[in-house]
Amino acid sequence: MKVMNKLSFTAVAAVVATLGMLQAASADTRKETRLEITPGGTVNIVNNYGSVTLRGGSGRQVLVAYTLHSDKVEVDESTTSDKLRAEIRTHVLSDPKPTVEETRVEYEVTVPAGVAVNVSTATAPIVAEGLSGDLTLSSDTGQITVRSVARVHVHVRGVTAPVSLTSVSNGHVEITSSGGEVQLVDVWGPKVWVGTTSGNISYRGDCSGGGDYNLTTHSGVIEVTLPETASFDVSARSVSGSVQNDFPLKDKPHSFYPSKAGSSFSGTSNSGSSSVELQSFSGRIRVKKQPSAAATPK
Amino acid sequence: MNCQQFQEVLPYIIESGGNEEEEAHLRSCPACAELVQDLEYIAQQAKLILPMHEPSPRVWAGIEDSLHRQGLIQEGRLSLLGHVTIFPPQAKSWTPLGWLMALAAMAVFAVLLINYHPQLPSAPPSAQNMSAPAPSTAFEGDDQQLIVQVSQQAPDVRRAYEDSLREVNTYITDAQQAVDKDPADAIAQQHLLDAYQQKEMLYQMATSRALP
């Protein structure tokens, strides 16, 4: 009997929970729209709360799918008559100001090849994957993730937004973040510039492409992990922090500043094709050798 | 008339007053009413300030560059002195709301830049304390204004700006002291420049966040 009661209670609870979820789901509104865009055009997206996911697509239309969680916001979409610019903006309708939850809109945007995208959010995370146009991404606190892009400019700005870039080939990368952590994995190109105030910076890759790699922070930690085959010329200095180098380097004949044990070093690996500049004010800098595949424990 | 239609004709409404339909929407929509009020206020303040303190062409170039990068304007929309170039109507490819937002952003950003004077300590602390965070949690002048601007945002956003502002002020102080100690130190100079760029970014982001 007790078992039966338990089962009944569980069943009722499950039904109530399901109804609740259905009710919540029914309050959400999902919409889709298509905006004409010319190759070389720009899509601007402003969405403070929720999320923005960008994916590479084909054709000449930007496909925008979004989910609204209340009727207190709407999405304004427009394109210019020459189809060079599309605007997508979350717009608050009601007064008094709705809650953050009510303002939340989730976007999934498919962007044709060669179209640039600018995204601005407050707390909404931004994910950009497989795009082939320039990216300008800005968020106060939302995670910014860029994956698998090539031959593009990637400009990222964040207040405390964590930033993660993976598989960026031949890119012009500029990241400015105040307190957010910046992680770069397999990112290379003619210019890779990262500046933070307190955010840690980690780079894992081979600094290839003969580019300029410049990582600067005030109090964050800079950690660079490179394979033995990497060809670069490195200078590292921390004004009041420490530096550590585990990488075999040849002395440079002329250095911008003299190596000083514990606070600065410079040197060349292989032919030194790329330039790597690491600067910290009070943070720690470390350059590590990536374990070779054979040495990596399985 | 909905909000989007109203905002497309907003510049004309502010300039010469709206028709009955537009005024009816204004009365019935608190969001648009607040927007109009804010824009009128910004326009008034900009008129008062700009003639007295014309910023250098570099400031306008910076604003223009920033607006370009954010995709708010296209090439040739602003002159170096910040005056909006008037285009014939048939050349218009930008919405009136876009113009208005750019003008509002310029006005707010110009006010911030004009009044921006970094607070540096008169007596530098000891080298051991160079990288210690500033103990004060209160902000003064423009920094306070920045915090007020983001105060309408979610609490964690406001906190992010407060923390970042505090940290970047420490960065500026540290870098300035390093430059004072050795004016020939190119790395210290670069740090100082980077620190100011970090602060500029915070101001730009806060300003754009404050726009409707």
Side-chain angles (χ1 to χ4, degrees):
Chain A
M1 192 63 183
K2 269 185 181 175
V3 173
M4 282 301 288
N5 280 344
K6 248 185 187 174
L7 281 173
S8 305
F9 178 77
T10 310
V12 170
V15 169
V16 169
T18 308
L19 285 173
M21 284 165 69
L22 286 173
Q23 173 68 26
S26 66
D28 294 349
T29 311
R30 185 177 163 85
K31 292 184 178 176
E32 278 192 13
T33 186
R34 287 169 189 272
L35 302 170
E36 291 285 334
I37 194 88
T38 305
T42 303
V43 179
N44 296 321
I45 302 170
V46 179
N47 179 44
N48 281 347
Y49 310 107
S51 63
V52 178
T53 303
L54 308 167
R55 291 208 171 78
S58 55
R60 291 195 165 200
Q61 286 185 328
V62 179
L63 174 61
V64 187
Y66 57 90
T67 306
L68 301 158
H69 298 282
S70 80
D71 57 3
K72 296 179 179 176
V73 289
E74 67 178 8
V75 172
D76 294 338
E77 317 123 11
S78 61
T79 38
T80 53
S81 55
D82 55 8
K83 313 293 180 204
L84 274 172
R85 184 164 55 88
E87 298 279 341
I88 304 160
R89 180 180 285 265
T90 304
H91 173 67
V92 176
L93 287 171
S94 66
D95 201 30
K97 207 176 168 184
T99 63
V100 167
E101 190 56 32
E102 289 169 335
T103 318
R104 212 157 54 85
V105 181
E106 273 85 36
Y107 285 92
E108 286 174 34
V109 184
T110 307
V111 183
V115 172
V117 186
N118 303 327
V119 183
S120 172
T121 76
T123 64
I126 304 169
V127 177
E129 187 165 13
L131 296 164
S132 59
D134 292 346
L135 295 168
T136 304
L137 312 174
S138 155
S139 180
D140 294 339
T141 64
Q143 164 94 43
I144 298 173
T145 306
V146 178
R147 284 190 290 258
S148 307
V149 297
R151 292 179 295 281
V152 295
H153 286 69
V154 181
H155 289 228
V156 175
R157 300 198 307 173
V159 180
T160 57
V163 179
S164 166
L165 267 63
T166 307
S167 302
V168 176
S169 317
N170 207 0
H172 281 77
V173 176
E174 274 189 66
I175 301 171
T176 311
S177 170
S178 187
E181 183 167 350
V182 178
Q183 287 186 317
L184 308 179
V185 178
D186 294 331
V187 174
W188 64 273
K191 182 183 177 183
V192 176
W193 187 94
V194 181
T196 74
T197 300
S198 62
N200 296 337
I201 304 170
S202 74
Y203 178 93
R204 194 179 181 87
D206 60 4
C207 287
S208 57
D212 284 332
Y213 294 76
N214 191 315
L215 314 181
T216 303
T217 180
H218 173 240
S219 56
V221 171
I222 299 176
E223 195 162 286
V224 176
T225 308
L226 299 154
E228 202 167 356
T229 52
S231 173
F232 61 93
D233 208 64
V234 64
S235 298
R237 183 192 181 201
S238 183
V239 176
S240 61
S242 63
V243 298
Q244 189 183 342
N245 175 39
D246 308 338
F247 209 89
L249 296 174
K250 290 174 279 188
D251 283 342
K252 284 161 75 172
H254 301 288
S255 179
F256 192 48
Y257 43 78
S259 290
K260 190 177 166 191
S263 66
S264 67
F265 66 84
S266 60
T268 303
S269 169
N270 296 310
S271 58
S273 59
S274 292
S275 162
V276 178
E277 187 85 25
L278 312 172
Q279 301 290 343
S280 178
F281 203 94
S282 57
R284 178 169 56 84
I285 298 173
R286 184 174 182 192
V287 177
K288 293 197 294 187
K289 190 164 77 172
Q290 189 178 306
S292 61
T296 309
K298 294 191 176 174
Chain B
M1 169 173 264
N2 63 24
C3 293
Q4 193 172 352
Q5 289 165 335
F6 178 82
Q7 286 170 15
E8 278 171 9
V9 292
L10 197 48
Y12 311 112
I13 295 170
I14 288 179
E15 201 175 311
S16 54
N19 60 28
E20 274 182 24
E21 191 189 5
E22 288 152 3
E23 283 179 4
H25 178 80
L26 195 58
R27 282 193 296 275
S28 65
C29 177
C32 288
E34 194 182 348
L35 175 63
V36 169
Q37 205 177 353
D38 288 349
L39 290 172
E40 282 175 344
Y41 175 77
I42 289 167
Q44 281 168 5
Q45 295 302 310
K47 274 182 201 164
L48 290 175
I49 290 168
L50 288 174
M52 288 189 288
H53 307 283
E54 182 73 13
S56 72
R58 206 174 53 159
V59 172
W60 288 116
I63 295 167
E64 189 177 3
D65 182 46
S66 169
L67 293 170
H68 278 308
R69 274 190 276 115
Q70 291 176 23
L72 289 172
I73 60 167
Q74 294 167 1
E75 290 295 339
R77 290 288 170 181
L78 298 175
S79 75
L80 271 181
L81 290 174
H83 302 300
V84 178
T85 310
I86 306 297
F87 287 85
Q90 63 271 23
K92 187 172 71 177
S93 62
W94 213 28
T95 63
L97 178 62
W99 276 105
L100 204 63
M101 285 175 63
L103 284 171
M106 279 170 52
V108 172
F109 193 53
V111 171
L112 289 171
L113 281 175
I114 289 161
N115 295 311
Y116 175 46
H117 304 293
Q119 306 290 318
L120 297 174
S122 53
S126 66
Q128 285 83 356
N129 295 332
M130 273 175 62
S131 61
S136 169
T137 54
F139 296 106
E140 292 173 358
D142 303 323
D143 290 355
Q144 183 59 44
Q145 208 173 331
L146 181 143
I147 296 301
V148 169
Q149 272 193 340
V150 294
S151 64
Q152 301 301 312
Q153 304 296 323
D156 52 340
V157 173
R158 182 191 163 112
R159 210 172 307 119
Y161 275 97
E162 285 178 348
D163 291 346
S164 297
L165 203 50
R166 207 171 286 123
E167 286 166 357
V168 81
N169 285 340
T170 306
Y171 190 5
I172 290 171
T173 305
D174 283 352
Q176 183 65 61
Q177 286 170 348
V179 170
D180 291 345
K181 197 172 161 188
D182 182 3
D185 187 342
I187 301 293
Q189 286 171 5
Q190 189 58 48
H191 271 297
L192 187 58
L193 190 64
D194 289 343
Y196 275 117
Q197 280 174 350
Q198 290 274 340
K199 188 156 184 171
E200 182 199 12
M201 179 198 71
L202 287 178
Y203 270 71
Q204 281 181 352
M205 289 183 74
T207 303
S208 65
R209 193 68 61 228
L211 289 172

